[in-house]
Amino acid sequence: FNAWRARSAHILGVHMRGTDKVMRKKVPPEAYFPFIDAYIRRYPDALVFVATDEAAYLERTRRRYEYPRVGRSGKRAAAVGAADGAGDSRDFSPETADRVVFFQPGYWADDVIHGSDVSADHKGMQVLIDALLLSKCDFLLKSASSVAEFAIWVNLDLHWKHVDLQAEDRFKSQPLPDWASDISRNDAELYCRSLALGCTVDELQKRRASADQRLLGPGQQCARCEPRVTNTTMRALGRTHAVDEGKSCAEAAMRSLTHAECLAFARRKKMQFIGAHKEPSEFAGCVIWNGRDVEFNDVPLMAHTAQCKVAEHGGRCLCARLPATTR
């Protein structure tokens, strides 16, 4: 890290959790790019330290931020990471070193924790060093992971100097630093487009280790921005009602709420919107859980998902009454 600090007074820590992330949605590297771009615009000497278990994420980030210039020999230098000698005496001028630095390059496997290719001791040491290096950075970009959380606990200044990209609310719940303030404009549309692009790449990119294995495996989802809530969406909430248990919206002369309407309902009622998920065995649409949490189940409306059957788990299904002219 001292070698990196000698090159720059502004080191941006970036933690990207990939491979076997299942409990929370994946956040691909393209979602980080608007923030990295803004940081580099503010601090032209900035370095970007990437800590990730997903080799494909590091590769995509390096491809975007490699210095376009060449060294004295006329050849492009390879990216400089600690694992390949960042602590030695090589020339770290911008002509011979990349902007992206790293300690370990990640894995091309989908199950890092249980995989036997690398020993548990080695993997544990790598992730610990990654976390400690993140804690030394000047600002942190993260998604949901104990690695980045550990870095914040080591360096409590990062509590005020980080952005959590796991949140899907277009940054309405967290302030952005002044150098990134433009990202929140227009409901963070630039960020949301970048996130959607990254999710498409994740869906299409195959792992090198297996020709038929993609970065989004079974049970994994990619994050996405919440839909915009417009005045028209808010006006529709006046027709929102709970449907009786065992009935569908159609049987009650109503329709299912859209994702945007479900989000708007939660905001109006000051309830916690816990996001959009895919539960193929549950009611398709908007559900209130235990009178305080609102969730949108983003699955196709089929015979087994149309009927409301969530009461035993503390749920209530929401529908919207149809205008009189359409009944």
Side-chain angles (χ1 to χ4, degrees), residues 227-244:
R228 284 176 165 170
V229 175
T230 64
N231 291 334
T232 301
T233 306
M234 297 300 292
R235 286 195 294 270
L237 297 183
R239 302 191 298 270
T240 301
H241 299 274
V243 69
D244 293 337

Side-chain angles (χ1 to χ4, degrees), residues 14-19 21-22 24-35 51-54 57 60-61 141-145 163-168 171 191 194-199 202 215-216 220-225:
V14 176
H15 183 248
M16 302 175 181
R17 177 72 168 90
T19 60
K21 183 176 182 178
V22 176
R24 302 291 296 275
K25 298 175 183 177
K26 283 188 172 182
V27 181
E30 287 73 12
Y32 293 76
F33 292 168
F35 287 94
T52 182
D53 55 337
E54 183 68 75
Y57 284 0
R60 277 148 62 179
T61 306
L141 302 177
K142 64 181 284 293
S143 60
S145 171
V163 173
D164 191 345
L165 277 66
Q166 195 70 51
E168 299 177 325
F171 303 108
Y191 167 79
S194 300
L195 172 60
L197 172 63
C199 289
D202 269 12
L215 265 64
L216 282 180
Q220 292 182 314
Q221 298 182 48
C222 196
R224 63 173 177 169
C225 288

Side-chain angles (χ1 to χ4, degrees), residues 5 24 50 57 64 68 134-135 154 174 249 265 314:
R5 181 58 79 193
R24 302 291 296 275
V50 176
Y57 284 0
R64 179 180 176 92
L134 285 171
S135 74
V154 173
Q174 56 183 321
C249 293
F265 177 87

